[in-house]
């Protein structure tokens, strides 16, 4: 009797999972057959009843040969498909479902017209005219027009979206003058930031978003929304995001582009060992996770490749930078900071911690795609490189004498012991931290590596108010990602007035230099095509940076990408399709969408 | 009867209030500002925009109020079934995240607890009477019960999942499937459920089997058994009495074990990336999501209290002495 009961309960419990799994998927409309031409064509061929009388369930089973499995972007359950919620939207919301006016390729520094056919400045460079692409349709079948573009620019006014387009960005008006033209008016245009907006911000359907454009716009989750992109929403669960191909994608006709996978399943990151197992067993085709020991993965016969076949394997995506608290002794002294920069053996981090999948950063901190802005002669003259003996002599020359324990002391004779913080669990950075402490110690600088939890690192880093100094001594940070303009990097280093509070995201080191900030603003107000003027300004900024050393660039953190060639091949590489192989936010519209048109399915082995 | 339940109910309410208050307090004692942490992960925002967004988040999570106000709001919201909003699922309600995970955890826990309890007790009782069973089941039971849930989980994953490839290694259901009322989905679901279930079942089974075996031997040696035997009562009757008496400590044991079992299932879920409460808790910790952590702990508190309450009721039904006690008599 009791056994019977238990069995019933066990069965009920299993049934409850089935029911809940089903109900959770019906809560967000997924059946597709009722919504959008894309989804319905995907479902209809399978809707015929099978011989058993039950409906064939192919739309709920993704054939391996038609499905691309990705992972590495999503750290939590997909929970919003609102492309205006830039920090949180599910993998591919911008790029696969929603698109931008332009696509920007950082590797070639080229803007490609995407939802815009063209964008041109007038001769005074204060009015920007966008010709909207014709023949584009939203996935619900309605026409894409200039009204959608004008609305999307207008939506950036909403304070909840955290855009400064209409304030310091300089936009004063955005009007759809006819069905295919949008005229944007500026005063004192921030050309660099506008250039970024063009390829980084989603064009959303006015019909859907206009009613949502309130202070609560971020609460609009927009599941199964209406987009222009190559994919539409299929389903989502706590551990995955599934996209299905939009057969009516405009670029197929207009640009002769065809995305190959019918389904894209993006798997939410669990642990590194699970992700690695999935990649090696061929359960994942593209992994944007960081794995130690990439060389052994590539050489291991698993069919896994990377962008470069050998060292450094990965493209650089951001600059890992040592942030000194320039308001504290002795880090307020440029001479000490330069000596510290010279004392760090970054090559040791690159080879020992990373196994050479990253490269040593240029002293200017500019990513390799900005190398044309580096004033090489000045960089060579003023830049730094690892040299323990030189670091020692620099410290001595600056008046820092060694104490009884061999470590240098402050000029007043007090001991120097600097803490260096990185977030707990960031294993590569934790190892890097030890390496920094070890090489600095050889030059006589005492560094105590610490790894508090992430929120504590942020707490110690942020200024509580405009005048109070933050607590930290040294931290590593890499907030600035690859993009279209070196302005972002200089804004990050020199931002003035000093930001503070919970939202602080620039100038962590607390460095004040009015001349530098004036140059940064001047750079922002320089048209993106005026490379010569940009070079002049960035050269002057580099001089300040290399002389005063407000931050110490260490290495280029990579665009981690491991591609399995078992099911899909033709992945991005330096020898073949040169696009960024990343599913992260902002990367699809930096060319990664093209990767989906370039890969090909491997024919099944006979 | 009413007094008994009244007293129990009062104890449970008080326990709940204290536990929930501690649960509310702990995240607020932790260093760091969750909104600052969230903002730091955003990136790419202009400082002006970031300030607006930080304001939005503070309001969303109710952190722009004073502490006493937050505490009162917490209780008001709690009584409305609102556990606040989660950082890990980007500002979605905590209840939504927990409700999505609960079915998986219950589907693991309930069958594992009940089946292992039933099977363990049956085997234990049997082993007490059969020498050969005693010599085989008992050592296995000792090994199983001493095994940490997650370690057994890893062993199962290696043997059944990796080497023999009988069951899938991780997840709730295959990444190539969508939930549907189909045989394929159902079997896939069960296949994914099997290993986490087994690792919980086996460890608990060992514990119950040993406990029952010892209890039965003790009861069979006790005075009333000997007296019954001396009176010439049939063996079956003696065993029945012994079994009933041995059962009582096992029920108490179940009540005491519930907390440990829940903790064990949490770890097991992490081993198998099984999308239940344990996995959610793990992710909440990783993303420093205090609101979600608070919600999950609250769920565990409520769950454990409820289960204890059920055991209390079961006890009344099984042990006549409790019933006598409730009527004011003495056993």
């Amino acid at each position: 009797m009791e056994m019977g009961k238990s069995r019933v309960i066990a069965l009920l419990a299993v049934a409850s999972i089935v029911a809940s799994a089903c109900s959770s998927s019906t809560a967000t409309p997924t059946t597709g057959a009722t919504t959008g031409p894309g989804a319905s064509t995907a479902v209809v061929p399978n809707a015929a009843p099978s011989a058993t009388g039950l409906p064939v369930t192919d739309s709920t089973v993704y054939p391996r040969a038609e499905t691309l499995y990705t992972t590495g972007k999503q750290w939590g359950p997909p929970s919003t498909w609102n492309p205006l919620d830039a920090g949180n939207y599910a993998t591919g919301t911008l790029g696969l479902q929603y698109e931008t006016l332009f696509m920007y390729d950082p590797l070639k520094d080229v803007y490609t017209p995407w939802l815009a056919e063209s964008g041109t400045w007038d001769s005074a460079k204060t009015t920007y005219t966008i010709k909207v692409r014709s023949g584009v349709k939203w996935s619900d079948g309605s026409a894409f027009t200039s009204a959608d573009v004008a609305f999307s620019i207008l939506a950036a006014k909403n304070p909840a979206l955290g855009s400064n387009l209409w304030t310091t960005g300089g936009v004063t008006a955005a009007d759809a003058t006819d069905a295919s033209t949008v005229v944007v008016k500026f005063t004192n245009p921030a050309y660099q930031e506008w250039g970024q907006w063009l390829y980084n911000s989603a064009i959303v359907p006015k019909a859907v978003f206009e009613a949502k454009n309130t202070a609560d716009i971020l609460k609009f989750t927009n599941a199964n929304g209406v987009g222009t992109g190559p994919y539409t929403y299929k389903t989502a669960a706590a551990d995955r995001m599934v996209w299905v191909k939009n057969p009516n994608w405009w670029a197929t006709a207009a640009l002769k582009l065809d995305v190959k996978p019918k389904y894209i399943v993006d798997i939410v990151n669990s642990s590194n060992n699970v992700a690695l197992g999935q990649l090696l067993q061929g359960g994942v085709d593209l992994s944007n996770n960081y794995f130690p020991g990439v060389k052994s993965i590539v050489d291991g016969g698993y069919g896994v490749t990377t962008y470069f076949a050998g060292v450094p394997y990965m493209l650089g995506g951001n600059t890992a930078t040592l942030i000194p608290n320039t308001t504290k002794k002795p880090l307020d002294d440029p001479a000490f900071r330069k000596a510290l920069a010279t004392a760090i053996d970054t090559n040791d981090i690159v080879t020992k911690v990373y196994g050479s999948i990253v490269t040593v950063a240029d002293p200017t901190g500019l990513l390799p795609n900005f190398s044309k802005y580096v004033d090489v002669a000045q960089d060579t003259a003023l830049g730094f490189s690892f040299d323990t003996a030189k670091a020692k002599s620099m410290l001595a020359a600056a008046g820092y004498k060694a104490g009884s324990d061999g470590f240098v002391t402050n000029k007043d004779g007090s001991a120097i012991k600097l803490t260096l913080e990185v977030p707990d669990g960031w294993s590569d950075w934790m190892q890097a931290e030890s390496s920094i402490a070890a090489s600095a110690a050889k030059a006589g600088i005492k560094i105590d590596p610490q790894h508090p939890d992430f929120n504590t690192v942020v707490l110690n880093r942020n200024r509580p108010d405009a005048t109070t100094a933050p607590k930290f001594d040294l931290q590593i940070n890499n907030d600035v990602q690859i993009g279209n303009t070196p302005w972002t990097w200089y804004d990050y280093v020199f931002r003035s007035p000093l930001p503070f509070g919970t939202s602080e995201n620039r100038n962590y080191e607390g460095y004040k230099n009015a001349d530098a900030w004036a140059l940064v603003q001047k750079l922002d107000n320089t048209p993106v095509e005026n490379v010569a003027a940009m070079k002049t300004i960035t050269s002057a900024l580099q001089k300040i940076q290399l002389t005063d050393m407000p931050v110490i660039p260490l290495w280029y953190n990579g665009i981690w990408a491991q591609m399995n060639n078992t099911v899909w091949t033709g992945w991005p590489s330096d020898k073949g399709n040169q696009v960024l192989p990343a599913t992260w936010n902002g990367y699809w519209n930096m060319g990664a969408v093209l990767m989906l048109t370039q890969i090909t399915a491997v024919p099944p082995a006979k | 009867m009413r007094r008994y339940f009244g007293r129990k109910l009062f104890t449970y309410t008080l326990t709940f209030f204290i536990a929930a208050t501690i649960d509310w307090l702990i995240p607020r004692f932790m260093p760091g500002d969750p909104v600052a942490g969230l903002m730091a992960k955003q990136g790419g925002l202009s400082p002006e925009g970031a300030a607006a967004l930080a304001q939005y988040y503070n309001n969303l999570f109710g952190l722009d109020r004073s502490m006493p106000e937050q505490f009162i709001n917490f209780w008001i919201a709690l009584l409305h079934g609102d556990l606040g909003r989660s950082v890990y699922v980007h500002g979605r309600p905590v209840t939504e995240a927990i409700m999505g995970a609960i079915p998986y955890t219950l589907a693991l826990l309930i069958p594992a607890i009940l089946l292992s309890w039933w099977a363990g007790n049956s085997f234990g009782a049997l082993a007490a009477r059969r020498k050969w069973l005693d010599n085989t089941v008992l050592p296995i039971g000792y090994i199983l019960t001493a095994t940490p849930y997650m370690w057994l989980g890893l062993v199962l994953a290696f043997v059944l999942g990796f080497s023999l490839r009988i069951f899938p290694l991780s997840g709730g259901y295959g990444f190539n499937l969508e939930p549907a009322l189909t045989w394929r989905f159902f079997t896939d679901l069960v296949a994914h459920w099997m290993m986490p279930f087994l690792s919980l079942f086996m460890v608990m089974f060992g514990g119950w089997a040993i406990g029952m075996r010892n209890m039965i031997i003790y009861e069979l040696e006790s005075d009333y058994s000997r007296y019954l035997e001396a009176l010439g009562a049939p063996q079956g009757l003696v065993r029945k009495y012994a079994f009933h008496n041995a059962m009582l400590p096992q029920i108490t044991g179940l009540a005491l074990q519930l907390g440990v079992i829940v903790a064990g299932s949490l770890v097991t879920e992490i081993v198998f990336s099984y999308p239940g409460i344990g996995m959610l808790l793990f992710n909440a910790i990783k993303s420093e999501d205090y609101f979600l952590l608070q919600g999950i702990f609250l769920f565990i508190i409520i769950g454990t209290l409820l289960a204890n309450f059920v055991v209390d009721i079961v006890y009344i039904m099984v042990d006549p002495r409790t019933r006598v006690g409730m009527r004011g008599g003495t056993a």
Side-chain angles (χ1 to χ4, degrees), chain A residues 281, chain B residues 154-169 195 198:
Chain A
Q281 294 189 349
Chain B
L154 288 173
V155 171
L156 284 178
F158 183 76
V159 177
L160 298 181
F162 190 78
S163 299
L164 301 177
R165 298 208 174 198
I166 298 173
F167 297 116
L169 278 171
M195 282 206 296
L198 276 180

Side-chain angles (χ1 to χ4, degrees), chain A residues 346-478:
Chain A
T346 318
N347 202 47
D348 183 66
I349 299 173
V350 168
T351 51
K352 300 226 177 86
V353 176
Y354 283 98
S356 300
I357 59 169
V358 302
T359 49
V360 174
D362 187 86
T364 62
L366 290 176
L367 283 164
N369 64 309
F370 292 134
S371 56
K372 69 178 169 198
Y373 297 108
V374 175
D375 186 335
V376 179
Q378 179 179 267
D379 196 14
T380 317
L382 300 175
F384 63 89
S385 60
F386 170 60
D387 186 340
T388 306
K390 192 177 169 198
K392 275 185 172 169
S393 61
M394 285 165 89
L395 286 168
Y400 296 93
K401 295 189 184 72
S404 54
D405 58 356
F407 289 108
V408 291
T409 58
N410 277 311
K411 288 173 185 171
D412 60 7
S414 58
I416 293 176
K417 189 186 172 196
L418 302 168
T419 58
L420 168 57
E421 298 170 331
V422 301
D424 191 29
W426 296 27
S427 53
D428 47 337
W429 283 21
M430 283 157 68
Q431 289 174 43
E433 181 180 59
S434 308
S435 167
I436 291 170
S439 62
K442 283 182 192 146
I445 300 171
K446 191 169 193 176
I447 292 180
D448 176 23
Q450 296 182 348
H451 23 84
D453 67 303
F454 180 80
N455 281 4
T456 307
V457 171
V458 173
L459 180 79
N460 291 345
R461 178 182 78 194
N462 286 0
R463 276 172 286 274
D465 53 62
T467 49
T468 313
K471 288 185 196 144
F472 76 100
D473 294 336
L474 295 164
Q475 290 191 349
I476 302 176
N477 185 279
N478 66 335

Side-chain angles (χ1 to χ4, degrees), chain A residues 532-592:
Chain A
M534 286 172 69
K535 277 184 178 171
T536 312
I537 299 168
T538 51
S539 166
L541 283 167
Q542 282 159 38
K543 187 173 184 186
I544 296 172
Q545 191 197 327
L546 294 171
T547 314
D548 265 11
M549 198 64 63
V551 297
I552 303 168
L554 297 175
W555 71 89
Y556 297 128
N557 245 16
I559 300 173
W560 320 123
Q562 289 83 207
M563 290 80 91
N564 191 312
N565 289 264
T566 314
V567 180
W568 298 96
T569 191
W571 293 102
S573 78
D574 63 327
K575 298 278 179 345
N577 301 319
Q578 295 174 12
V579 296
L580 303 184
T583 58
W584 299 329
N585 286 4
Y587 279 78
W588 290 113
N589 34 300
M590 283 194 284

Side-chain angles (χ1 to χ4, degrees), chain A residues 324-333 337 463 467-472 498 508-512:
Chain A
N325 184 347
T326 62
T327 54
K328 265 191 176 178
K329 265 184 194 324
L331 294 167
D332 59 346
D333 181 358
R337 298 197 292 261
R463 276 172 286 274
T467 49
T468 313
K471 288 185 196 144
F472 76 100
L498 292 181
Y508 298 122
E509 74 276 12
Y511 175 73
K512 286 183 189 162

Side-chain angles (χ1 to χ4, degrees), chain B residues 276-318:
Chain B
I277 293 287
M279 199 61 205
L280 196 63
L281 179 72
F282 180 59
N283 286 321
I285 293 169
K286 273 204 303 192
S287 52
E288 305 193 13
D289 185 345
Y290 303 150
F291 313 98
L292 186 54
L293 272 178
Q294 190 178 294
I296 293 170
F297 285 140
L298 206 62
F299 164 77
I300 295 173
I301 293 166
I302 294 172
T304 315
L305 289 179
L306 265 181
N308 270 292
F309 190 63
V310 170
V311 172
D312 272 345
I313 295 170
V314 170
Y315 219 89
I316 297 167
M317 296 196 296
V318 190

